[in-house]
């Protein structure tokens, strides 16, 4: 009798453990499924890590094509790249470049 009760308790414990593992796997799968993720733009912005669409090489190439030379210190900061360069007139400049489009948002001459 004791052996039967012990076997029943073991089966019940195994079934409970299996159910817990299965529920955890289902919850994990459901949480990572894109179909259940919020689709509103505000919800996407809250869960998306902001980063540039253009990499440093692409920004470098676009700035060279626009006439900037001696590009250095290309750094990502606050949705834009900060770049030190020389403009077409040979002046040292600091540029703020849009990380998504490559457009120069601001150009400051360094003295």
């Amino acid at each position: 009798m004791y052996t039967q009760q012990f076997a029943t308790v073991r089966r019940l414990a195994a079934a409970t453990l299996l159910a817990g593992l299965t529920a955890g796997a289902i919850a994990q799968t459901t949480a990572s499924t894109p179909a259940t993720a919020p689709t509103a733009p505000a919800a996407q912005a809250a869960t998306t890590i902001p980063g540039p669409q253009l990499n440093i090489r692409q920004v470098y190439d676009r700035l060279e094509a626009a006439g900037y030379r001696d590009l250095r210190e290309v750094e990502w900061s606050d949705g834009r790249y900060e770049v030190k360069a020389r403009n077409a007139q040979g002046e040292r400049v600091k540029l703020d470049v849009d990380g998504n489009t490559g457009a120069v948002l601001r150009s400051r001459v360094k003295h």
Side-chain angles (χ1 to χ4, degrees):
M1 177 94 173
Y2 178 74
T3 309
Q4 275 184 325
Q5 287 176 341
F6 184 69
T8 303
V9 169
R10 283 182 54 196
R11 279 192 294 252
L12 182 58
T16 303
L17 178 62
L18 182 59
L21 291 174
T22 304
I26 290 171
Q28 191 174 28
T29 302
T30 304
S32 64
T33 303
T36 61
T39 56
Q44 286 179 350
T47 60
T48 304
I49 298 171
Q53 285 186 325
L54 299 176
N55 62 37
I56 291 175
R57 182 76 225 174
Q58 292 168 320
V59 169
Y60 188 95
D61 291 343
R62 288 178 189 220
L63 290 175
E64 270 197 334
Y68 293 98
R69 299 288 177 252
D70 192 23
L71 300 163
R72 60 191 185 285
E73 296 186 39
V74 181
E75 299 174 354
W76 175 252
S77 177
D78 296 325
R80 64 186 71 161
Y81 286 101
E82 294 177 1
V83 182
K84 291 183 180 178
R86 290 198 181 268
N87 63 15
Q89 293 76 32
E91 299 170 309
R92 289 179 21 205
V93 292
K94 185 173 183 181
L95 307 171
D96 289 337
V97 180
D98 187 292
N100 295 318
T101 64
V104 175
L105 301 173
R106 183 175 177 190
S107 175
R108 298 179 299 267
V109 176
K110 304 294 277 185
H111 297 284

